[in-house]
Amino acid sequence: MKQLRQDYRGGAPEVVEAPAPRALPGRILVATRASLISSGTERQILELAQATLAGKAAARPDLVRQVVRTARREGLRRTAEKVRAKLDDPAAPGYSLAGEVLEIGRGVAGLAVGDRVACAGAGFASHAEINAVPRNLCARIPKGVSDTEASFATVGAIALQGVRRAAPALGERVAVTGLGLLGLLTVQLLKANGCRVLGYDPDPARAALARELGAEHAVSADLEGAAAAFTGGAGADAVIVTAATRSSAPVNAAAAISRLGGRVVLVGLTGMEIDRDLFYRRELDLRLALSTGPGRHDPDYEIAGRDYPLPHVRWTGQRNMEAFLDLVASGRLTPAPLVSHRFAIAHAAQAYHLLGGGGPHLAILLDYPAPPRAAPARRLSLSRTAADTRPGVGFIGFGSYARGTLLPALRAASGTTLTAVVTSRGLSARSAADSAGFARAATEPGAVLEDPGTQAVVIATRHDSHAGYAAAALRAGKHVFCEKPLALDREGLDAVRAAAAEAPGLLTVGFNRRFAPLMGEMKAALAGMAGPLQILYRVNAGPLPPESWIHGTEGGGRLLGECCHFLDAMAHLAGAPAVSVQAVAASGAGDAVSALLRFADGSTGALVYAPMGDPALPKEQVEVFAAGRALRLEDFTRLEIAAGGRRKVLRRKQDKGQRALMAAFVAAIREGGAPPIPEPEIFAATEASLALEQAVRTGRAVPLQRQDGT
């Protein structure tokens, strides 16, 4: 299929061939018939992509601070690799389209194949021939509404939510400043609501169009004078700002033309350095509109499909889309006159040239061919490589960690060739193949699992799919490198264990801490020590945003998703598996955990996982006490060994062992050696992480089965 790709390096948008996405659970597969280019939002993305690195840094100072922290912790080379990997992940522009349902994912109700739908959402309703869109971001198109009109549904819902935030009453005088797509739709919505409307835009042509669409008065100069005349000197009851500019002038101009006790609603993206005196003297109510409405930016609503109950939340984003489409069907809204240009999807790059300053425009539409009759193609061969005797490696999942850490580690190990990359989004797969040099891009795992030229599979998807993919790859006869965690529950772990028992391939999990050079020095310093160890592992994990996928069903939570690292490292130091786990969580913070482990050799381990700290303190510290020795490892950069009254200090650049683990995996599959981590130890660490999560939930100690079965 064809899809528009926005490169973050050079900034040149281009149309590429990409594999079609799958209709995952909760999503529908939509064949696009028309998609709308939003000149405000998409021009900003284009400008950011075309900016220099300094310009990108100025636009996103929060990311600059994150890069600086990473460089201090991991060094310039690793940080540069991560930044390059992030820049290699292009944007999929677009967020408003109309199309036809091709397939229905599991759990989707209320739609059928062949239905016409309007779709919303950046990253979902993209400028692509086929999109996979969550159910709550889709609205059925009423009869009589064309694809052209329906493609405005997302922008229309944004305008409608702005009007709802203004709460206009019949007969009120309302001003709209900024007469682009949002502003002109807002003018029509206010007119349909029985309001008297004043429009303003510096462009006289847009002011004239606003008058044609229902504004009683519209001007391109002297806004204050026009507002005084329009309101009899009283000021506007409400002002809706739909301009798109970094300047704060529009919001302050809105205050200047408002009446005492009026409302100012910000819908467009503008500066917000307000003139306090203006707002104070008029006692104005400043309101912001949440894009399409309630549910926006809520992954439970948008991704998981949990709708807000109508009696409590009357107008969600989806219901605003439906209301907008109903207004179009009734003839009270006419978005079609806003279309200034149309291009076929194959020529979308020309549309973006126009967007970037190639001439005056308003709404730009992209048109698409009729929906395909055959099943969508989900595998794309790029014919990059000739026959190669080296082991072929394919990736299932290619997010930032795979791009920035696993792939560089694999390249550093050398001796392999890249066969296929599979991601849920076709553009991600195509872009990963282009940037990394994979021979094929796909959106279905069979492209890797069924490929005879792929001997090893790297699984780097979200956590809830690790066990299923690992078991399937082992059953397919592949060697498997699965990023942690291996499983989120007992059933998944048992499935992998059963597959590994019968499979010829090696299983490796990304427990890289044990391969860190300074961890190796610590292990060596403990060699031959008599008696058990006391281990203290402190992790200053820092907070994650509440909306992070790690907290949801895909991630399984931080205890399962990350603590397996530290449990494996402690078992590695002790040289024995854990036999019991007990843990408590801080009140009101389920992942702020203090845990106590007992190991089969009598050693003990205390894990303090702290998500409430500050990143200025190093993330990880390990202390070990044994038979007159004390060792302290600080964030894999400094190891202190105290013995016999003397101290020895070793310093290195931070290295958590990712490259050494990958090199050991590659050597094992090439030379037929033992796996880098013995399978019993992989399963034991996973068992311990499941026990940790259970201990936190139940408040009781959880015993673990020892390797001898007792």
Side-chain angles (χ1 to χ4, degrees), residues 219-235:
V219 298
S220 56
D222 190 18
L223 174 60
E224 289 195 35
F230 182 65
T231 64

Side-chain angles (χ1 to χ4, degrees), residues 157-367:
I158 295 171
L160 183 53
Q161 180 63 15
V163 171
R164 294 195 194 286
R165 292 289 292 151
L170 188 70
E172 281 194 322
R173 290 171 170 83
V174 183
V176 180
T177 63
L179 299 174
L181 292 185
L182 279 174
L184 292 169
L185 290 172
T186 300
V187 166
Q188 296 186 63
L189 288 166
L190 290 167
K191 184 68 175 178
N193 195 62
C195 296
R196 300 179 64 186
V197 185
L198 166 68
Y200 168 77
D201 193 282
D203 184 345
R206 293 190 176 186
L209 184 55
R211 290 191 292 271
E212 293 176 19
L213 294 173
E216 188 171 327
H217 194 43
V219 298
S220 56
D222 190 18
L223 174 60
E224 289 195 35
F230 182 65
T231 64
D237 295 295
V239 182
I240 301 177
V241 181
T242 52
T245 174
R246 294 180 181 177
S247 169
S248 299
V251 66
N252 290 314
I257 65 171
S258 294
R259 68 166 171 82
L260 181 67
R263 291 99 65 195
V264 174
V265 180
L266 298 187
V267 180
L269 182 60
T270 68
M272 288 189 62
E273 295 181 4
I274 66 173
D275 184 335
R276 182 185 182 279
D277 194 56
L278 278 174
F279 280 83
Y280 169 73
R281 290 183 179 277
R282 288 173 170 79
E283 200 174 25
L284 299 178
D285 188 355
L286 176 61
R287 305 175 183 180
L288 274 70
L290 179 61
S291 185
T292 54
R296 183 70 182 101
H297 302 298
D298 179 358
D300 280 343
Y301 176 85
E302 294 188 324
I303 311 300
R306 298 186 181 93
D307 199 2
Y308 296 172
L310 186 146
H312 300 282
V313 184
R314 179 61 185 92
W315 296 109
T316 61
Q318 184 186 60
R319 292 194 272 271
N320 272 335
M321 291 172 66
E322 292 169 345
F324 173 82
L325 292 169
D326 286 341
L327 287 168
V328 174
S330 70
R332 284 177 286 177
L333 283 179
T334 55
L338 305 182
V339 178
S340 63
H341 297 80
R342 305 185 78 116
F343 297 87
I345 178 60
H347 304 298
Q350 298 177 22
Y352 270 71
H353 173 71
L354 181 67
L355 187 69
H361 60 276
L362 195 54
I364 305 173
L365 255 61
L366 299 179
D367 293 316

Side-chain angles (χ1 to χ4, degrees), residues 218-604:
V219 298
S220 56
D222 190 18
L223 174 60
E224 289 195 35
F230 182 65
T231 64
D237 295 295
V239 182
I240 301 177
V241 181
T242 52
T245 174
R246 294 180 181 177
S247 169
S248 299
V251 66
N252 290 314
I257 65 171
S258 294
R259 68 166 171 82
L260 181 67
R263 291 99 65 195
V264 174
V265 180
L266 298 187
V267 180
L269 182 60
T270 68
M272 288 189 62
E273 295 181 4
I274 66 173
D275 184 335
R276 182 185 182 279
D277 194 56
L278 278 174
F279 280 83
Y280 169 73
R281 290 183 179 277
R282 288 173 170 79
E283 200 174 25
L284 299 178
D285 188 355
L286 176 61
R287 305 175 183 180
L288 274 70
L290 179 61
S291 185
T292 54
R296 183 70 182 101
H297 302 298
D298 179 358
D300 280 343
Y301 176 85
E302 294 188 324
I303 311 300
R306 298 186 181 93
D307 199 2
Y308 296 172
L310 186 146
H312 300 282
V313 184
R314 179 61 185 92
W315 296 109
T316 61
Q318 184 186 60
R319 292 194 272 271
N320 272 335
M321 291 172 66
E322 292 169 345
F324 173 82
L325 292 169
D326 286 341
L327 287 168
V328 174
S330 70
R332 284 177 286 177
L333 283 179
T334 55
L338 305 182
V339 178
S340 63
H341 297 80
R342 305 185 78 116
F343 297 87
I345 178 60
H347 304 298
Q350 298 177 22
Y352 270 71
H353 173 71
L354 181 67
L355 187 69
H361 60 276
L362 195 54
I364 305 173
L365 255 61
L366 299 179
D367 293 316
Y368 298 76
R373 295 184 178 180
R378 296 191 169 99
R379 303 183 188 185
L380 178 66
S381 176
L382 301 172
S383 302
R384 297 184 189 280
T385 59
D388 199 320
T389 58
R390 296 175 296 173
V393 180
F395 276 67
I396 301 179
F398 205 71
S400 58
Y401 187 77
R403 291 192 309 270
T405 301
L406 296 180
L407 182 63
L410 181 64
R411 283 177 167 155
S414 70
T416 62
T417 185
L418 299 174
T419 57
V421 57
V422 177
T423 69
S424 61
R425 295 170 54 229
L427 184 59
S428 295
R430 172 61 196 265
S431 298
D434 286 344
S435 63
F438 288 93
R440 293 178 299 283
T443 55
E444 56 184 6
V448 168
L449 302 181
E450 299 165 7
D451 176 30
T454 298
Q455 286 77 47
V457 179
V458 176
I459 297 168
T461 52
R462 293 194 169 179
H463 299 165
D464 62 335
S465 60
H466 284 186
Y469 284 141
L474 288 167
R475 288 194 298 268
K478 312 297 185 186
H479 302 295
V480 173
F481 184 107
C482 181
E483 197 22 59
K484 58 82 191 167
L486 179 59
L488 295 182
D489 53 37
R490 173 72 56 184
E491 293 74 19
L493 178 58
D494 289 344
V496 178
R497 199 195 309 262
E502 301 174 358
L506 302 178
L507 171 64
T508 296
V509 175
F511 296 145
N512 50 271
R513 298 309 196 267
R514 60 165 64 201
F515 290 88
L518 288 181
M519 183 70 79
E521 295 281 0
M522 179 178 261
K523 177 75 170 175
L526 296 168
M529 301 293 294
L533 309 180
Q534 284 184 292
I535 307 170
L536 174 61
Y537 207 129
R538 188 270 294 151
V539 184
N540 178 33
L544 272 184
E547 66 273 13
S548 170
W549 65 271
I550 296 291
H551 298 304
T553 55
E554 290 180 309
R558 303 182 79 178
L559 299 185
L560 292 175
E562 189 176 18
C563 286
C564 52
H565 262 322
F566 320 123
L567 300 176
D568 176 73
M570 287 194 288
H572 175 64
L573 289 172
V579 294
S580 71
V581 180
Q582 52 188 307
V584 293
S587 178
D591 53 2
V593 167
S594 298
L596 181 62
L597 292 85
R598 182 175 294 278
F599 297 92
D601 70 334
S603 297
T604 60

